[in-house]
Structure formats: C-alpha cells, structure tokens
Amino acid sequence: MTKVRAHGIDGVISNWIENWLKGRKQRVCIRGEWSTWLEVTSGVSQGSVLGLILFLIFINYMDCGIVNWLLIFADDAKLLGIVQSDLDKSSLQEDLHRLFDWAKEWQMEFNIGKCKVMHIGNSNHNFKYYMDNNELEIMQEENLGVLITNDLKASSQCVQACNKANRVLGMIRRMVIYKTRMFY
C-alpha cells in the first residue's frame, strides 16, 4: 500500500503493465524444427484481455480533431461525411490527413491499399480523396455484415443471400443419402 501512496495508482498500473510486457520470448516451429527463442520487443499478446484493453486505450484519442463521423470497430475505422461542396470535401480530406498523421505518430499506420471511398447518391460530386499522396480507390459496394451499395438498393444483398442459401441447399442435397420427392 505504501507504493500506491508514493507513486500514485497511475504509477502502479504503469509498472504492472510494463512488467507484464517485458521479458517475453517466442519461437516458431516449422515442420517439427524449432527456432531459437527471441525476445519480443513490441506488441501485446494476442487474445489476452489486457491486450484488448490496452488497444482501446491506445486508439481512444484517434478521433481528436476529426470533424466528420468516425466509426471504429476493433481495428477497422470508417470515416463518413456529407459532401455537397468543395468546403465539405476539404473538411473530409483534412480528416483523412489527421487520421494519417495520428497513425504515423503512434506507429500504427493504415494499410492505404485497403482504404477505399464510396460515393453514395446520384447527385454526388465524386471527389477524389488521398492518404499520404495516394489516391484512394473508389468502390461500388462494401460488406458491413449487410451489403451496402453506392445506390443504397437492396438487390445485391438479396442476390448474395439467395446464392448463399442455394449453396447450403446444394450441400444438403449432396450430403443426404436418402431423399424422396416430398422434400424437394
């Protein structure tokens, strides 16, 4: 208890996390051959409860200064904005710059090849957006658990669901040995 009073609870937690992270080693096995043990100098053990909490603390300030909507789920981020003018476009582009700068500063860089733009609506100006001077690819649809298309029509989602149901039905037909016409 003396340590808590001397260093404060923040110091105790910081020391605890530091002790948990340091001195870790790992090795790999390929075709029955083991590598030598090497010290792990960065990162957090995947699958650990503390790892998830530390990641959430780490990204907590990612949205500082962001003007548009930023949706974050695990390690995935979506930046959304209504763009009706050059000023709106500049605001969204500036948010992309802020996110890129944050990621660079915290050494957690975006995979720019996976960063995409979707223009929704018929009257959209279809502006181009950039990260680190790389033009972001424009896409027509994105699967967010539900298939979202740039025209917001449900037909692609319906086709996808129908195809999945047909694959399952085909698998059932191939796997069941005894069938009667009654079940078709």
Side-chain angles (χ1 to χ4, degrees):
M1 202 61 158
T2 318
K3 259 188 170 178
V4 172
R5 285 192 201 116
H7 300 290
I9 192 72
D10 293 343
V12 171
I13 292 172
S14 178
N15 288 339
W16 180 66
I17 292 171
E18 181 182 346
N19 287 331
W20 179 70
L21 290 173
K22 72 180 180 183
R24 295 176 298 138
K25 295 185 179 213
Q26 70 180 19
R27 66 180 181 166
V28 296
C29 179
I30 301 174
R31 295 188 187 116
E33 297 291 323
W34 288 95
S35 70
T36 58
W37 287 97
L38 294 174
E39 187 174 346
V40 178
T41 58
S42 66
V44 177
S45 301
Q46 286 187 333
S48 67
V49 174
L50 187 56
L52 177 61
I53 293 168
L54 290 175
F55 178 75
L56 292 174
I57 292 169
F58 186 74
I59 66 167
N60 192 48
Y61 295 103
M62 183 178 178
D63 62 349
C64 284
I66 301 297
V67 176
N68 292 280
W69 295 304
L70 181 64
L71 305 176
I72 302 171
F73 181 76
D75 64 346
D76 191 28
K78 305 279 187 224
L79 182 63
L80 305 146
I82 298 172
V83 179
Q84 297 174 332
S85 67
D86 286 336
L87 186 62
D88 295 336
K89 184 254 185 204
S90 295
S91 172
L92 196 60
Q93 183 61 63
E94 186 57 37
D95 283 349
L96 286 170
H97 288 311
R98 281 188 189 98
L99 288 171
F100 181 79
D101 290 344
W102 176 90
K104 191 173 181 181
E105 179 182 349
W106 290 97
Q107 299 175 3
M108 190 175 145
E109 297 179 23
F110 287 99
N111 182 344
I112 296 175
K114 289 184 174 182
C115 295
K116 312 266 191 253
V117 174
M118 181 184 288
H119 299 288
I120 297 177
N122 294 333
S123 63
N124 197 299
H125 296 286
N126 296 332
F127 290 117
K128 295 181 181 191
Y129 295 94
Y130 299 86
M131 282 187 91
D132 194 30
N133 296 320
N134 295 298
E135 184 178 334
L136 300 181
E137 180 185 339
I138 295 171
M139 57 189 223
Q140 306 302 315
E141 61 184 33
E142 170 75 0
N143 193 334
L144 302 172
V146 174
L147 195 61
I148 305 292
T149 60
N150 62 341
D151 60 6
L152 296 179
K153 293 184 179 174
S155 56
S156 295
Q157 174 69 31
C158 294
V159 168
Q160 188 181 54
C162 183
N163 289 339
K164 184 176 181 180
N166 280 329
R167 284 192 303 274
V168 171
L169 183 58
M171 182 184 69
I172 291 170
R173 284 185 176 158
R174 287 188 303 277
M175 301 302 287
V176 175
I177 296 170
Y178 177 75
K179 299 180 254 186
T180 66
R181 294 292 279 157
M182 187 173 89
F183 293 112
Y184 286 111

